[in-house]
């Protein structure tokens, strides 16, 4: 059993995730840990986060950083300045890829310039839709005009790597509306595009509406929309490299090179931070509710901002749980994550990453997927087909071994 004050110092960790648990309002589909800030809560969170950064900074030089949430762009200029100057002092700046998630309602020139000045070089913008009616339906706080204005602001501030997040299969969204949003989104010339099907999570307003029979879920329409996504993104120079992620090949501007995965496996503008997750890499997770994975141990911080701040104010990490999976169980998870990528798993790389042979331990799962034409295998690689990628979650579940069997391995 690991103790609550265990501190990991591992020079091999290359990625840092930071969770910002605040949003201006709750979107109707959202189950992430986030809430509207109260009183001086954000200032207190920033101070606590600086303490947490101080605890992990020794021997750690992130190659990728990702500020997610929540809405990181909700922090004021002064709060960002406090945070970024602390990261600079701790030697945590200079990552080859440094992403901050932004809501178009909270992007400003001053903030964009400040972020870029400290080395943030990638912005992920939660657009979700460019249809005013659907934005309202989703409870988004921004308008479509704010999206176009934000792109201009970010480009002027020197952000050359921009991701646009979209959603499809939104209740009330027709195929025509979706195709129009896609066309307008690709015209924004972002380097990266992420697009997810709406999922109905318990404790969300959308889930309650679905349960109340306010709309029907049309799986066939969702499949057609996913095909539209692949067609339109592909026709506009994006290469799909993961179930929901597309990126451009050519650099728009010189950027640092990170070679965590062979260049041919992923397009130039693929999100290296997420590729690290899908390839089973280690990462620190800071901020309320954030998960981390280091030396075979999964950690999770308290999903309670008050408690998170109190712990850090006492100089302690705010970790709620430590979970050490058996190497085989972890390898099964990694197999499933990696199959989300179009490149699938090069068999040798999987063995190098996990110590296990995919063909030996998951032969049955592989055979099932190949027989269904959801996957292909050759002497070098196992990968899902286009049809298989549509059902990647189900494919991944076949690699999660019975935990008892995995413990005994
Ligand atoms: S902005 Fe993002 S994190 Fe915040 S409520 Fe909406 S979906 Fe959730």
């Amino acid at each position: 059993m690991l103790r609550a004050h265990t501190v990991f110092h591992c020079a091999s960790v290359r990625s840092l995730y930071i969770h910002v648990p605040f949003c201006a309002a709750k979107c109707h589909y959202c189950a992430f840990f986030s809430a509207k800030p109260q009183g001086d809560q954000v200032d207190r969170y920033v101070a606590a986060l600086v303490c947490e950064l101080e605890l992990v900074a020794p021997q750690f030089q992130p190659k990728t950083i990702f500020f997610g949430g929540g809405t990181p762009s909700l922090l004021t200029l002064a709060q960002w300045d406090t945070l970024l100057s602390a990261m600079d002092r701790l030697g945590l700046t200079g990552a080859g890829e440094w992403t901050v998630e932004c809501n178009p309602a909270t992007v400003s020139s001053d903030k964009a310039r400040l972020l870029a000045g400290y080395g943030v070089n990638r912005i992920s913008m939660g657009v979700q839709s460019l249809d005013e009616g659907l934005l309202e339906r989703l409870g988004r706080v921004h308008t479509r005009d704010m999206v176009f204005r934000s792109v201009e602001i970010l480009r002027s501030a020197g952000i050359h790597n921009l991701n646009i997040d979209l959603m499809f299969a939104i209740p009330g969204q027709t195929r025509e509306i979706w195709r129009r949003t896609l066309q307008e989104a690709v015209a924004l010339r972002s380097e990266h595009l992420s697009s997810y099907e709406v999922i109905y999570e318990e404790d969300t307003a959308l889930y309650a509406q679905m349960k109340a029979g306010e709309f029907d879920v049309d799986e066939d329409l969702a499949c057609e929309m996913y095909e539209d996504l692949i067609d339109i993104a592909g026709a506009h120079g994006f290469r799909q490299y993961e179930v929901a992620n597309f990126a451009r090949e050519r650099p728009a501007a010189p950027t640092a090179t990170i070679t965590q995965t062979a260049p041919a496996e992923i397009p130039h503008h693929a999100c290296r931070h997420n590729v690290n997750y899908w390839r089973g890499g280690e990462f620190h997770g800071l901020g309320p509710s954030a998960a981390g994975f280091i030396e075979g141990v999964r950690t999770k911080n308290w999903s309670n901002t008050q408690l998170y701040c109190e712990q850090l104010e006492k100089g302690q990490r705010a970790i709620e749980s430590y979970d050490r999976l058996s190497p085989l169980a972890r390898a099964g998870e990694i197999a499933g994550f990696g199959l989300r990528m179009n490149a699938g798993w090069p068999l040798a790389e999987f063995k190098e990453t996990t110590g296990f042979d995919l063909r030996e331990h998951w032969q049955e799962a592989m055979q099932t997927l190949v027989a269904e034409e959801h996957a292909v295998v050759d002497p070098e690689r196992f990968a899902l087909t286009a049809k298989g990628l549509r059902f990647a979650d189900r494919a991944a579940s076949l690699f999660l071994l019975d935990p008892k069997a995995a413990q005994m391995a």
Side-chain angles (χ1 to χ4, degrees):
M1 184 69 182
L2 290 146
R3 286 163 304 183
H5 60 265
T6 300
V7 175
F8 296 100
H9 293 305
C10 185
S12 65
V13 184
R14 297 153 61 100
S15 291
L16 171 62
Y17 173 77
I18 295 178
H19 191 80
V20 180
F22 305 111
C23 288
K26 198 74 186 166
C27 299
H28 298 167
Y29 55 88
C30 179
F32 292 123
F33 179 69
S34 69
K36 198 169 171 177
Q38 310 286 334
D40 67 349
Q41 208 181 18
V42 186
D43 282 335
R44 199 174 165 202
Y45 157 81
V46 169
L49 181 57
V50 169
C51 293
E52 200 179 19
L53 285 162
E54 283 166 353
L55 292 174
V56 302
Q59 302 171 36
F60 175 50
Q61 183 63 61
K63 300 278 184 281
T64 72
I65 304 175
F66 196 108
F67 275 81
T71 307
S73 55
L74 200 68
L75 266 54
T76 61
L77 202 59
Q79 286 157 346
W80 269 115
D81 201 28
T82 302
L83 190 49
L84 295 169
S85 56
M87 289 179 73
D88 204 30
R89 168 173 59 81
L90 295 167
L92 293 172
T93 49
E97 180 189 277
W98 186 349
T99 304
V100 173
E101 284 186 339
C102 288
N103 182 301
T106 48
V107 172
S108 72
S109 300
D110 288 350
K111 239 183 264 182
R113 278 199 299 269
L114 181 77
L115 293 173
Y118 273 98
V120 172
N121 53 18
R122 184 171 185 273
I123 295 291
S124 178
M125 197 153 59
V127 172
Q128 314 316 349
S129 178
L130 287 165
D131 180 89
E132 292 289 8
L134 289 181
L135 287 172
E136 208 170 303
R137 182 81 181 78
L138 293 171
R140 301 288 298 176
V141 294
H142 66 86
T143 61
R144 54 178 269 124
D145 281 350
M146 288 175 187
V147 173
F148 301 120
R149 210 164 43 236
S150 295
V151 171
E152 273 175 33
I153 289 172
L154 293 167
R155 293 304 200 194
S156 306
I159 298 294
H160 301 298
N161 195 354
L162 183 63
N163 171 52
I164 301 283
D165 261 353
L166 296 177
M167 291 178 94
F168 63 93
I170 303 165
Q173 185 182 36
T174 62
R175 207 164 158 199
E176 192 193 340
I177 294 176
W178 170 232
R179 289 178 68 90
R180 196 163 55 231
T181 285
L182 270 174
Q183 295 287 1
E184 287 190 292
V186 295
L188 290 171
R189 305 283 312 154
S190 65
E191 285 69 31
H192 195 280
L193 179 68
S194 299
S195 187
Y196 297 90
E197 179 176 344
V198 170
I199 47 172
Y200 299 95
E201 306 224 41
E202 279 185 49
D203 297 329
T204 64
L206 218 52
Y207 179 84
Q209 291 163 14
M210 181 189 70
K211 284 286 166 194
E214 288 181 28
F215 56 84
D216 291 325
V217 176
D218 186 340
E219 257 312 305
D220 292 339
L221 180 61
C223 281
E224 287 167 3
M225 288 180 169
Y226 186 64
E227 280 161 23
D228 289 338
L229 166 68
I230 290 169
D231 290 349
I232 294 175
H236 288 82
F238 288 98
R239 171 147 75 97
Q240 185 185 20
Y241 67 101
E242 195 264 354
V243 175
N245 286 281
F246 303 76
R248 292 190 192 279
E249 295 286 2
R250 274 175 291 117
T255 51
T257 305
I258 304 167
T259 50
Q260 283 172 321
T261 301
E265 301 275 287
I266 53 171
H268 181 85
H269 283 290
C271 176
R272 265 57 177 189
H273 186 84
N274 286 339
V275 169
N276 181 57
Y277 292 146
W278 297 318
R279 284 294 182 235
E282 299 181 313
F283 57 95
H284 277 293
L286 309 190
S289 82
F293 177 66
I294 299 173
E295 294 177 344
V297 179
R298 223 167 18 202
T299 60
K300 189 173 171 304
N301 275 0
W302 288 102
S303 298
N304 178 324
T305 304
Q306 166 93 5
L307 190 54
Y308 169 82
C309 292
E310 284 169 7
Q311 288 294 108
L312 268 307
E313 283 158 5
K314 287 189 265 180
Q316 295 168 6
R317 291 288 306 272
I319 298 177
E320 178 189 13
S321 62
Y322 295 84
D323 183 15
R324 185 186 286 281
L325 286 183
S326 77
L328 186 57
R330 177 64 190 162
E333 266 191 12
I334 292 173
F337 284 143
L339 287 177
R340 297 182 61 83
M341 296 181 68
N342 293 58
W345 269 113
L347 300 171
E349 187 182 340
F350 182 79
K351 183 140 194 214
E352 198 183 312
T353 304
T354 66
F356 294 98
D357 189 329
L358 204 55
R359 289 161 297 191
E360 188 182 327
H361 295 276
W362 293 277
Q363 197 184 40
E364 209 180 305
M366 289 170 70
Q367 280 170 351
T368 303
L369 290 167
V370 170
E372 294 170 349
E373 297 180 353
H374 280 206
V376 286
V377 64
D378 65 28
E380 310 263 293
R381 181 186 303 270
F382 178 66
L384 298 185
T385 57
K387 186 172 154 197
L389 281 171
R390 179 78 184 90
F391 305 99
D393 288 343
R394 181 249 172 190
S397 70
L398 301 181
F399 290 80
L400 300 176
L401 293 174
D402 169 8
K404 275 201 212 109
Q407 281 303 332
M408 284 159 51

